Amino acid sequence: HRKNECAIFVKAGVKMSTEGWDFTEVQPLYNMITVLRVLSMSEKSKRITEFLEDHLEVWRKDQEFMAKYKVVVDYIRNILKLQVDEDSILRVITSSYTNDFSQTLPSGNQAQLMFPLTAMMNHSCQPSISRAITVTGTRENPEFRMRVVAARSLAQGEQIYNSYIDILDPVQVRRSHLTLTKHMDCSCVRCSDPFDLGSYGSSVLCTKCKGSVNPEIDEKKIWKCEKCRKKYSSASIDKIVMALDDEKNRILQDPERKTVR
């Protein structure tokens, strides 16, 4: 940080004051650190970041997003006096939204990391690779490495797929998460299969006979029980699955309830 954001503050003659900050909440100006570090990169490294998808044109339509990051744009341009336009600042932020990887540190804090080559792999809910982040170095100066290995045999010329979500989630949760965070509508081979590639991982139990309820192949808005043929609307199934996912998340976020039992 001394060579990057600290050097920029010194050059601008600006001393950051944290007086009055509420550290129980995420502080918007922390988002400035990523932007300043990208601006401090070598031209070669900057060119790599420019190849990453940012979806800025979509994020610009989100008034809450624009209001949230206005303070970052204004601080960089008006306080630090850096000659950089608003789009360039926002592209760093939205590119991070789309491409970064999170890693929990020994302290319990989360680091948001960027590995461009891994991020350039397209998504599939049936990925062909396995990835893991290793941490070396010291607590004060950790170093991160991304390790990617094939999860199955790959043919020459075959596209290598990563996964941007928890592959154990049902299709509604996967698609919702990808739409919200990546602005993409997944139509991979697994999402397109009503039986979740034979795993029945997105099926629900019929309220009448406890049979397996799955989406109709030719009619996406209808789900049907395999056993008694009772039909359900996709909206009613989605409501059940998303409610269960919300309950699961509440349990996982509560240390007292997050037990094996």
Side-chain angles (χ1 to χ4, degrees):
H1 63 94
R2 289 178 183 173
K3 293 187 295 182
N4 296 312
E5 61 269 20
C6 288
I8 293 172
F9 274 79
V10 171
K11 185 176 180 180
V14 175
K15 185 173 178 61
M16 170 69 75
S17 173
T18 58
E19 187 176 347
W21 283 27
D22 178 7
F23 288 102
T24 62
E25 299 289 335
V26 175
Q27 298 301 306
L29 278 179
Y30 277 128
N31 292 290
M32 183 171 57
I33 296 174
T34 300
V35 179
L36 295 181
R37 289 189 177 181
V38 170
L39 293 176
S40 301
M41 284 178 171
S42 66
E43 288 304 314
K44 181 180 179 181
S45 295
K46 281 183 188 176
R47 282 199 296 274
I48 293 174
T49 67
E50 290 168 2
F51 282 105
L52 298 172
E53 182 64 77
D54 55 62
H55 295 295
L56 179 57
E57 69 284 352
V58 181
W59 284 108
R60 270 198 169 281
K61 299 173 185 176
D62 186 332
Q63 293 183 351
E64 186 177 337
F65 169 83
M66 293 301 293
K68 178 180 179 180
Y69 291 106
K70 185 179 186 302
V71 62
V72 175
V73 173
D74 289 348
Y75 200 100
I76 290 174
R77 300 187 69 196
N78 303 328
I79 305 299
L80 296 179
K81 305 291 185 183
L82 295 182
Q83 300 300 309
V84 57
D85 58 66
E86 179 180 272
D87 275 8
S88 296
I89 296 171
L90 292 176
R91 283 189 194 285
V92 174
I93 295 169
T94 56
S95 179
S96 298
Y97 270 36
T98 306
N99 298 288
D100 68 3
F101 299 86
S102 61
Q103 173 73 9
T104 302
L105 303 176
S107 63
N109 293 329
Q110 277 210 336
Q112 301 303 119
L113 310 169
M114 190 71 80
F115 298 98
L117 289 176
T118 309
M120 286 178 187
M121 295 179 190
N122 280 331
H123 165 80
S124 172
C125 296
Q126 188 192 25
S128 55
I129 59 102
S130 174
R131 57 181 169 81
I133 298 172
T134 58
V135 187
T136 58
T138 64
R139 184 185 180 93
E140 293 75 23
N141 189 27
E143 296 205 3
F144 303 93
R145 295 285 183 273
M146 175 66 82
R147 181 174 183 265
V148 176
V149 297
R152 58 176 173 79
S153 296
L154 296 168
Q156 184 175 348
E158 178 183 351
Q159 184 169 176
I160 301 174
Y161 285 108
N162 191 5
S163 175
Y164 303 164
I165 44 83
D166 185 341
I167 60 174
L168 296 180
D169 281 333
V171 64
Q172 296 94 332
V173 177
R174 299 198 309 267
R175 279 181 161 168
S176 174
H177 183 75
L178 289 167
T179 300
L180 183 66
T181 62
K182 308 298 184 184
H183 292 296
M184 63 175 285
D185 182 19
C186 188
S187 56
C188 71
V189 63
R190 184 177 167 204
C191 284
S192 303
D193 185 344
F195 305 106
D196 206 32
L197 299 181
S199 71
Y200 287 77
S202 298
S203 305
V204 298
L205 291 180
C206 178
T207 56
K208 182 180 178 181
C209 71
K210 301 302 181 185
S212 174
V213 179
N214 312 291
E216 284 277 73
I217 296 175
D218 299 324
E219 181 52 70
K220 293 184 178 180
K221 294 185 178 180
I222 299 296
W223 287 51
K224 186 187 288 185
C225 175
E226 278 189 325
K227 189 174 179 182
C228 72
R229 313 309 290 170
K230 178 177 178 169
K231 293 183 178 180
Y232 299 80
S233 69
S234 60
S236 66
I237 299 294
D238 291 351
K239 186 176 180 180
I240 292 170
V241 174
M242 298 308 289
L244 288 170
D245 187 63
D246 287 340
E247 183 178 350
K248 175 205 72 175
N249 290 332
R250 283 196 299 273
I251 291 172
L252 293 177
Q253 289 164 8
D254 183 350
E256 293 184 3
R257 299 179 70 192
K258 189 178 178 182
T259 65
V260 172
R261 184 178 63 82

